[in-house]
């Protein structure tokens, strides 16, 4: 079964700082990778996804992620965060009829 | 509807009672998933439906949990003899296929007292 590891569960940073959230996965088959975001009081929504092709994928709100197959990683980045990026971020990998999620990163951006 | 709808949004029940949680997926989505999210954790897979049948129920924690999707649309997650450890947010998601983007509902926060 697939599994996902996310590090640095709590991240606090100031507006305009750069953000990088790590995601490592384990799965023996072909992977599809996702980052989901949950803003306070809202439901999980897709930030970006990788199925195939260019390993650098761009998502909504200026986020991007890079798939590095040799490192089993799919790290999320944003060059300059805003207060509205305060949220919980989940990395997920699909396989075996399901999405497997990491524990999430709680990101707080201070104005 | 426009998105995945879950009812109720909150449910408080006494230990030992039976509860039903409802999910209305996006119209036309054949795949439906139930997840459970405890505090400080990511969503944990419970069950996957493809159409009316449970294609994978290996995530259900024990036989007190059961889910149905009789007409291939609305799904109900049923929990018998609830325990305090069942307290969590129960999430439903739907997609057009098992390996495509999943759209999540707001969840049902279940509290067993």
């Amino acid at each position: 079964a697939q599994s996902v590891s996310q590090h640095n569960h709590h991240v606090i940073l100031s507006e305009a700082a750069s953000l990088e959230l790590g995601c490592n996965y384990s799965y023996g088959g072909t992977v599809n990778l996702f980052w989901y975001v949950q803003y306070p009081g809202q439901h999980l929504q897709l930030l970006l996804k990788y199925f195939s092709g260019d390993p650098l994928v761009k998502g909504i709100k200026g986020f991007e992620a890079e798939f590095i197959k040799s490192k089993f990683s799919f790290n999320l980045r944003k060059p300059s965060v805003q207060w509205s990026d305060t949220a919980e971020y989940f990395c997920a990998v699909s396989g075996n009829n399901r999405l497997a999620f990491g524990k999430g990163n709680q990101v707080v951006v201070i104005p | 509807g426009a998105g995945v709808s879950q009812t109720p949004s909150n449910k408080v029940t006494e230990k030992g009672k039976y509860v039903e949680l409802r999910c209305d997926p996006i119209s036309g989505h054949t795949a439906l998933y139930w997840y459970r999210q405890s505090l400080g954790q990511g969503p944990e897979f419970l069950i996957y439906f493809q159409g009316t049948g449970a294609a994978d129920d290996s995530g259900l924690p024990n036989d007190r949990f059961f889910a149905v999707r009789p007409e291939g649309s609305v799904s109900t997650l049923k929990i018998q003899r609830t325990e305090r450890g069942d307290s969590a947010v129960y999430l439903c998601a739907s997609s057009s296929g098992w390996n495509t983007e999943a759209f999540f509902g707001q969840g049902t926060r279940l509290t067993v007292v």
Side-chain angles (χ1 to χ4, degrees):
Chain A
Q2 66 272 42
S3 65
V4 178
S5 295
Q6 292 182 247
H7 315 291
N8 302 322
H9 186 62
H10 291 96
V11 177
I12 301 173
L13 60 168
S14 300
E15 276 192 317
S18 64
L19 173 69
E20 179 159 0
L21 301 177
C23 172
N24 290 92
Y25 67 91
S26 65
Y27 182 58
T30 301
V31 291
N32 294 327
L33 296 156
F34 306 81
W35 275 96
Y36 279 83
V37 61
Q38 188 167 26
Y39 298 104
Q42 296 188 26
H43 60 278
L44 278 166
Q45 52 189 287
L46 185 69
L47 201 55
L48 49 77
K49 61 187 177 186
Y50 172 80
F51 280 13
S52 64
D54 189 344
L56 184 63
V57 293
K58 295 189 183 299
I60 59 171
K61 303 186 180 184
F63 285 89
E64 64 178 31
E66 185 175 12
F67 170 53
I68 303 179
K69 188 175 181 180
S70 61
K71 295 185 178 180
F72 299 93
S73 69
F74 189 56
N75 293 352
L76 181 71
R77 296 192 291 257
K78 184 169 183 177
S80 176
V81 295
Q82 300 173 310
W83 174 78
S84 58
D85 293 321
T86 293
E88 191 152 18
Y89 294 81
F90 294 94
C91 183
V93 57
S94 68
N96 296 326
N97 299 322
R98 67 190 70 178
L99 279 174
F101 286 85
K103 291 187 175 182
N105 298 104
Q106 182 65 56
V107 175
V108 175
V109 180
I110 301 170
Chain B
V4 178
S5 176
Q6 291 187 247
T7 53
S9 54
N10 283 284
K11 176 71 176 178
V12 180
T13 190
E14 292 181 346
K15 180 175 177 293
K17 298 289 188 182
Y18 167 83
V19 296
E20 289 189 352
L21 312 179
R22 177 187 169 106
C23 172
D24 278 273
I26 292 173
S27 178
H29 278 187
T30 56
L32 185 145
Y33 308 82
W34 283 98
Y35 284 81
R36 176 169 69 175
Q37 187 173 17
S38 301
L39 198 62
Q41 302 294 320
E44 172 194 16
F45 171 81
L46 296 177
I47 188 169
Y48 157 61
F49 286 90
Q50 180 58 43
T52 60
D56 184 350
D57 64 357
S58 60
L60 295 176
N62 52 60
D63 61 6
R64 294 187 297 106
F65 289 74
F66 189 70
V68 296
R69 195 185 185 199
E71 298 178 356
S73 178
V74 171
S75 177
T76 305
L77 178 66
K78 308 180 180 192
I79 311 174
Q80 298 177 321
R81 305 183 304 280
T82 51
E83 300 177 357
R84 292 196 179 87
D86 298 334
S87 297
V89 175
Y90 289 81
L91 298 169
C92 177
S94 71
S95 69
S96 57
W98 78 266
N99 205 24
T100 59
E101 176 185 351
F103 295 83
F104 283 81
Q106 292 266 28
T108 293
R109 182 175 298 279
L110 175 67
T111 304
V112 182
V113 298

